[in-house]
Amino acid sequence: TIEVLNAGGYTVHALAPRDGGRPLCCGRTFLASGLVDEAREELRRLVAAALPYVRRGVPLLGVEPSCLLTLRDEAKVVLPGGATEAVAARAFLVEEFIVAERAAGRMRLGLGRVPWRRALLHGHCHQKALGAFGPVEAVLRMIPGLEVSTLQSTCCGMGGAFGFHAEHHAISMRIGESGVLPAVRSADADTVVVADGTSCRHQIRDGAARDSVHAAVVLK
């Protein structure tokens, strides 16, 4: 992602904690387990680190949908206030940023051809739920000669860490087999499988014995 943005003419700052301590976290993993107080503390640290940037108009970009979109949605409930609202308003998935900057005439990536003829795209549930999936299709269609096919399916079955739990494994695989996994297995060698979600990529690898990549990898 950083290489792609650099190629487009942008300087990228990696967000770091203000106290120099452990890495920042959006709190999503705590929220998924019902640990709201712990999630609130993680969000407090992240918002404090991001606020000086967003107040200067610098956008906050993310590559993992569940993390970035937590800042746009749940964060405003878990940690309400002006600081959180300011960060949420400037939080974008990298594809959203690229599409917006390109439309404004500020980004020219000069994309060339890739080794694949087709891209099979699986959307992360969080992206689809919050209307943030379209830009992923749009950036892939910017690549010359790449035919983009979007999977019309439900969740891959992983659902964050849900599918990693032994008691959920069978239902996780049934969900995957309802659409995503058979489609991935049928994709030929000229097709790159694209999935922005880390958990989605795990499910595709474990359930279909096929590697998939984030859209930023294809752009690079």
Side-chain angles (χ1 to χ4, degrees):
T1 296
I2 292 172
E3 290 184 37
V4 170
L5 293 171
N6 288 163
Y10 295 80
T11 300
V12 181
H13 301 277
L15 198 62
R18 299 182 71 185
D19 59 8
R22 58 187 174 80
L24 296 168
C25 173
C26 68
R28 177 88 242 160
T29 49
F30 285 119
L31 280 179
S33 299
L35 302 172
V36 179
D37 290 340
E38 290 85 346
R40 183 177 296 112
E41 182 55 33
E42 295 301 321
L43 282 167
R44 185 176 287 114
R45 295 177 67 242
L46 193 154
V47 167
L51 192 60
Y53 289 98
V54 301
R55 279 181 170 162
R56 298 200 304 268
V58 179
L60 176 62
L61 306 186
V63 296
E64 170 60 39
S66 58
C67 294
L68 188 284
L69 295 173
T70 293
L71 300 179
R72 287 233 292 264
D73 189 15
E74 292 94 335
K76 292 185 288 186
V77 177
V78 175
L79 186 67
T84 303
E85 293 283 349
V87 170
R90 297 293 292 169
F92 305 97
L93 288 166
V94 63
E95 296 95 346
E96 294 178 307
F97 178 76
I98 290 173
V99 168
E101 291 295 284
R102 188 168 181 261
R106 290 188 290 265
M107 178 176 285
R108 292 178 176 83
L109 282 174
L111 296 170
R113 290 182 176 271
V114 291
W116 313 281
R117 287 171 35 188
R118 290 174 292 277
L120 181 63
L121 175 60
H122 167 63
H124 189 286
C125 290
H126 218 149
Q127 282 176 310
K128 291 187 282 191
L130 295 185
F133 181 52
V136 187
E137 296 175 297
V139 296
L140 291 175
R141 291 198 170 102
M142 289 164 50
I143 299 171
L146 185 65
E147 176 189 330
V148 180
S149 176
T150 300
L151 277 170
Q152 301 301 321
S153 62
T154 60
C155 178
C156 70
M158 183 57 78
F162 175 85
F164 277 125
H165 297 165
E167 64 270 27
H168 301 150
H169 180 260
I171 189 170
S172 171
M173 297 311 297
R174 283 202 300 273
I175 294 169
E177 294 294 349
S178 70
V180 176
L181 298 180
V184 170
R185 290 192 201 103
S186 66
D188 60 26
D190 284 335
T191 300
V192 59
V193 181
V194 182
D196 275 6
T198 303
S199 57
C200 303
R201 293 195 298 274
H202 276 291
Q203 183 80 327
I204 289 168
R205 182 71 188 89
D206 296 338
R210 179 80 179 255
D211 287 327
S212 54
V213 298
H214 192 284
V217 174
V218 186
L219 291 176
K220 177 179 178 299

